Amino acid sequence: MSCLILGVFKRRGCVGAGVGVRSLASVPSLPSAVADFVKGAVAECQPARVHVVTGTAEETAGVLAGLEKDGMVKRLPKYHNCWLARTDPKDVARVESKTVIVTKHQRDTVPIPSPGAKSQLGSWLSEEDFQKARQERFPGCMAGRTMYVIPFSMGPVGSSLSKMGVQVTDSPYVVASMGIMTRMGTPVMEKLAEGAEFVRCQHSLGRPLPLKAPLVSSWPCNPEKVLISHLPDSRQILSFGSGYGGNSLLGKKCFALRIASRIAKDEGWLAEHMLILGITSPQGEKRYVAAAFPSACGKTNLAMMKPAMQGWKVECVGDDIAWMKFDSQGKLRAINPENGFFGVAPGTSMKTNPHAMATIAKNTVFTNVGETSDGGVWWEGLEPPAEGVSLMDWHGKSWTPGDSTLCAHPNSRFCTPAAQCPIIDPQWESDEGVPIDAIIFGGRRPEGVPLVYEAFNWRHGVFVGAAMRSESTAAAEHKGKAIMHDPFAMRPFFGYNFGDYLAHWLSMETRPGPTQLPKIFHVNWFRKDPVSGSFLWPGFGENARVLEWIFRRCGREREDEAARRSMVGWLPQDGSINVQGLAGDVDMAALFDLPKAFWEKETQELRAYFSQQVGADLPQQVGAELDALEKRVRN
Ligand code: OXD
Ligand code: MN
């Protein structure tokens, strides 16, 4: 057995390389807290060798070459440095039912649901049950495999808004993807050597060698034993059995949302499932907005949109996660903690998102998309392949347009460096973050919910976030098109009790020191004509018209003539949304109609949800906002 620490970490004259696993105790090159963590993981998981990731281009090339040799990725010769991975069909999405938060008391994780109801706001596991589950999974789980040690930073290395992590994993696919999605390697280890805090992330595919059963699609995973566990008190993540992005790239959902939301509560800031974009008017005035949408609602498309109106410009800071903190002047400042985009591929095209198409043309790892015979990728929504080019589906089987199955898995992804985005914002890596003027909530609402409205004030805005609902999507294991509650688009990502989360948001209003609260809006691009079933709003680049209205509402002079009070919030005054040049007939009246019967049902539904799911943990102010909405709907 070759027991080696591969990779070299240099620190003020001390270099460690080629050290046996058994002598890890004496590795001089790892900062001591990291060495302790790695030693513990080695003792538990028993890898054959340890590789400390440095993050160099040569190292990444070596990791990809190894994956190619093992049949886990395939080079896509049509592009530069692009790769295709096909997973075991049992490992294709986040597994919310196997995702848990471990705390001493259940109520630290979730509000206690009413008798007979199951919490939809997260899953709690007791410390004892977690220890048992850990014992059943991790001992010896990396036998025969390499354990990679990945030092990574969420946010620019050294920014006061950034946080660091160390992930150990037996998946080289994870190493290649973390190299895109995070700042990874020696510069981070150097910061850790200065004694910086880090989140301890332990990940295993759960398929020690020799294998007991053959792999499917050469993709190691252990679907029966999947468990994605978070220990917010000790800032730890332990993920087992899945190699798929949201379950295995632990910097993303596990750290940057679940653990970070808890750190943010403790430290007085916000970690949110939000894109960040900058919008510049034809006069050169710029504002930044953060927007929360449930998974697969077009966040990446909005974050990179090409405005339909002449003279307006959108630039992208991030497409999925925002960490936001008030600065000393009281301005809310946001960073995108990620370094890449892990976007849903189907539906992305030159028409819907030309900037994403340009971004993914090189240095990209694709997962579960279709493949063209000329060495490219294909998915539903893309322009048809050229004459004479044939297709393989995400299983690697020959596929022809019109077949009853899908060519790409609906949750197939591209993993691509953010810096390649042609409209990446010049400030996207700024240490202090970008100033946020507006927060937008949204969802897929085929009925009743207007194109845009503005909350009356912060407290009402918090209620609007709490009341978010959306059609379910393929990003997790849910099936069908049910309208699910997804407060703040955080339902799968809360790191602590949702009632406490609401109280934390409400507390921003009374925080000490100067505070300029952003305005809060709600948008719905997905309303349908009840008769024809077709979308009422064209979406994509035309959404900039709504952003323009939001932009104007954030102006120093409140443009009251641009808005009218309604039962749900401020609606655009007739004619105040710029429709000049809007293609086709758009029924603006239908887009802003507020059917009383719909809103009566919606408020009843919300009352039932709050009482079943949040109960005594619902802050009184949020309950009062629901009462007020009910009253406005009644009158
Ligand atoms: C994602 C998700 O992958 O929200 O971004 O599921
Ligand atoms: Mn997301």
Side-chain angles (χ1 to χ4, degrees), residues 62-132:
V63 167
L64 283 162
L67 281 164
E68 190 176 23
K69 194 164 133 274
D70 291 346
M72 273 186 78
V73 300
K74 213 174 153 177
R75 189 183 281 276
L76 291 162
K78 191 165 172 184
Y79 321 112
H80 172 69
N81 191 29
C82 286
W83 304 83
L84 170 62
R86 293 194 177 101
T87 71
D88 181 324
K90 287 192 171 154
D91 191 20
V92 291
R94 285 187 289 102
V95 192
E96 290 177 8
S97 59
K98 305 280 174 58
T99 299
V100 298
I101 310 272
V102 182
T103 47
K104 205 169 188 58
H105 306 289
Q106 182 174 2
R107 204 160 166 195
D108 296 337
T109 294
V110 278
I112 308 302
S114 61
K118 184 175 173 325
S119 179
Q120 298 164 16
L121 291 162
S123 293
W124 174 72
L125 196 66
S126 71
E127 290 171 342
E128 300 71 46
D129 287 348
F130 166 71
Q131 284 309 338
K132 218 168 118 218

Side-chain angles (χ1 to χ4, degrees), residues 94 252-253 257 273-274 293-296 299 319-321 338 342 413 475 489 493:
R94 285 187 289 102
K252 194 173 178 62
K253 303 299 185 180
L257 289 176
H273 191 201
M274 292 181 181
F293 293 83
S295 308
K299 278 219 327 271
D319 78 329
D320 197 38
I321 299 176
E338 300 191 279
F342 185 66
R413 300 280 178 148
F493 309 121

